Amino acid sequence: MKKAGILIFILCSFILSAENNLNLIDSAGKCGAVLYYNSMSGEGILEKNGHQLSFSAGDAAVLQDYKKLALTDAPSMKDGILFVSKKFMDDAEAFFKTEPNAQGYKIGTILIDPGHGGKDPGTLATHKINGKQVTLKEKDINLSVGKMLYSRLKTAYPDKNIVMTRSTDVFLSLAQRTEIANSVKLKEGEAVLYISIHVNASLDKKASGYEVWYLTPSYRRNVLDKDKAPDKNLYTIMNSMLEEEYTAESILIAKFIMDGLDAQIGDTAVKRGIKAEEWFVVRNSNMPSVLVEVGFVSNYEEAKNLASEAYLQKISLGIYNGLAAFVTHFERSRGFTGVK
């Protein structure tokens, strides 16, 4: 009898252990939920029936529809794979069965920030192009690309608020630019995107190409107004989860824009990749934000391209296609942007 008792105990322990080690990818598929997650950070979202459940590995707090915190068993990450308990999945299913927010989510505003302007020309370079000495000013290229992008977005999204921090050759401080971004008024269920356009330069005249920057994940900021937090006692947790979402979304925007530029420019310029930095305008914008460096004026061949309106149109189309891809993704999935 003792042996049988031990066997039953071991069997029960095995079943309990199995229930607490469910592969989340498999479990999400079985219950019909869409899973997005970042395998590096263990952050993710489950989506079903118009609901979104945000979670982080090792954290028992989950965020329901970006508004309400709930407690459940903490997911765990092992060898890049997410595991959850049966209770986690049962709690998720119970949440998915509730009535969803009928309004849904969408991008309400896209902010275009052409860098520099007025007394601040940005980087400069003079080259002999088509027999003439031409001085390329970063502020002018930024504004040209910004206007082209604005026109494309206005045509494609008449229902969205497309805003430029500057549409003429005027000077705006970095603080003024981020103040414009952070003062955007949004309706319930709306989000805002911020894209800053710049041109590069280097002492190495061979340096060339385009790159997209996002805020380094190691930087911490307050992105949630404490006075507007649904639960002030849990502000820190909610701010952290929203901040992580902004970072993940910024990375995906950067990837989509990089792919869009690559498709339009091809071998004409070097694809320098996606990078992380704590730029002021990106660091102080309380929203998903990226900074695009469209090329090097210090490189003669690239400067000739940057002096061409046709080439700038290709750049604006590449950025537009990247943003459009992100908007589609966001409005379909409420935009959690981790690696699936």
Side-chain angles (χ1 to χ4, degrees):
M1 293 298 292
K2 287 184 178 181
K3 290 183 179 180
I6 292 173
L7 179 61
I8 293 171
F9 174 77
I10 292 175
L11 181 61
C12 289
S13 296
F14 175 78
I15 294 172
L16 182 61
S17 176
E19 287 185 344
N20 288 321
N21 287 280
L22 303 175
N23 184 313
L24 184 54
I25 296 178
D26 295 339
S27 298
K30 289 177 181 178
C31 77
V34 177
L35 170 67
Y36 302 90
Y37 80 96
N38 187 322
S39 59
M40 297 297 291
S41 66
E43 300 149 13
I45 186 170
L46 280 169
E47 181 188 62
K48 183 178 178 182
N49 296 339
H51 287 298
Q52 294 80 30
L53 185 71
S54 303
F55 60 86
S56 294
D59 194 340
V62 294
L63 190 60
Q64 299 174 341
D65 288 340
Y66 302 92
K67 292 182 178 181
K68 182 180 178 182
L69 277 173
L71 294 177
T72 185
D73 289 347
S76 61
M77 178 74 79
K78 300 176 184 176
D79 300 322
I81 300 174
L82 279 168
F83 291 93
V84 294
S85 69
K86 183 175 182 300
K87 173 176 168 51
F88 179 95
M89 292 307 302
D90 288 344
D91 290 346
E93 279 285 22
F95 166 60
F96 293 147
K97 290 178 181 178
T98 61
E99 192 68 26
N101 179 357
Q103 184 176 358
Y105 298 95
K106 70 174 185 176
I107 301 297
T109 298
I110 301 176
L111 268 159
I112 305 167
D113 177 34
H116 306 280
K119 65 181 182 180
D120 175 16
T123 191
L124 300 167
T126 301
H127 300 279
K128 191 173 184 177
I129 301 175
N130 297 326
K132 298 180 180 180
Q133 290 295 111
V134 178
T135 298
L136 295 172
K137 299 179 181 179
E138 180 183 0
K139 66 175 184 177
D140 296 335
I141 298 172
N142 296 342
L143 185 58
S144 293
V145 174
K147 285 183 173 181
M148 294 171 184
L149 179 59
Y150 175 87
S151 178
R152 294 181 189 279
L153 289 170
K154 284 291 288 186
T155 300
Y157 301 110
D159 60 324
K160 300 187 188 304
N161 186 27
I162 312 300
V163 179
M164 294 185 69
T165 55
R166 69 178 182 97
S167 56
T168 58
D169 185 20
V170 296
F171 172 77
L172 292 174
S173 68
L174 296 177
Q176 285 176 307
R177 294 172 191 273
T178 53
E179 183 180 351
I180 291 171
N182 293 329
S183 64
V184 169
K185 302 298 182 183
L186 297 171
K187 298 177 183 177
E188 181 71 20
E190 286 188 340
V192 57
L193 306 181
Y194 184 97
I195 175 169
S196 189
I197 301 170
H198 288 260
V199 177
N200 234 326
S202 174
L203 294 175
D204 179 4
K205 304 303 181 183
K206 295 181 180 179
S208 66
Y210 54 92
E211 55 198 26
V212 187
W213 295 79
Y214 66 94
L215 181 64
T216 173
S218 63
Y219 183 82
R220 286 292 173 251
R221 54 183 169 166
N222 291 326
V223 296
L224 180 65
D225 186 340
K226 195 167 187 176
D227 293 332
K228 296 180 181 179
D231 190 330
K232 293 180 176 56
N233 295 322
L234 297 173
Y235 167 79
T236 301
I237 296 174
M238 295 186 72
N239 182 78
S240 177
M241 295 181 79
L242 188 58
E243 180 190 33
E244 289 166 353
E245 181 194 346
Y246 284 173
T247 297
E249 287 170 351
S250 297
I251 293 171
L252 191 61
I253 296 171
K255 179 184 182 302
F256 281 152
I257 290 176
M258 181 61 62
D259 291 345
L261 288 170
D262 185 36
Q264 292 302 315
I265 297 173
D267 296 333
T268 306
V270 177
K271 183 179 179 181
R272 295 171 64 91
I274 300 170
K275 303 180 180 181
E277 185 54 88
E278 295 178 10
W279 298 113
F280 185 93
V281 291
V282 176
R283 184 178 73 237
N284 292 282
S285 301
N286 296 335
M287 62 201 67
S289 51
V290 296
L291 185 148
V292 183
E293 296 275 8
V294 301
F296 284 73
V297 292
S298 50
N299 180 284
Y300 176 66
E301 293 300 324
E302 195 150 79
K304 288 194 298 182
N305 288 329
L306 293 172
S308 164
E309 181 178 349
Y311 186 77
L312 298 186
Q313 286 286 4
K314 287 184 177 181
I315 288 175
S316 72
L317 180 57
I319 296 173
Y320 162 77
N321 285 338
L323 288 173
F326 179 81
V327 169
T328 298
H329 171 86
F330 183 95
E331 295 185 347
R332 179 178 61 83
S333 67
R334 180 44 176 93
F336 181 81
T337 55
V339 180
K340 188 175 178 181

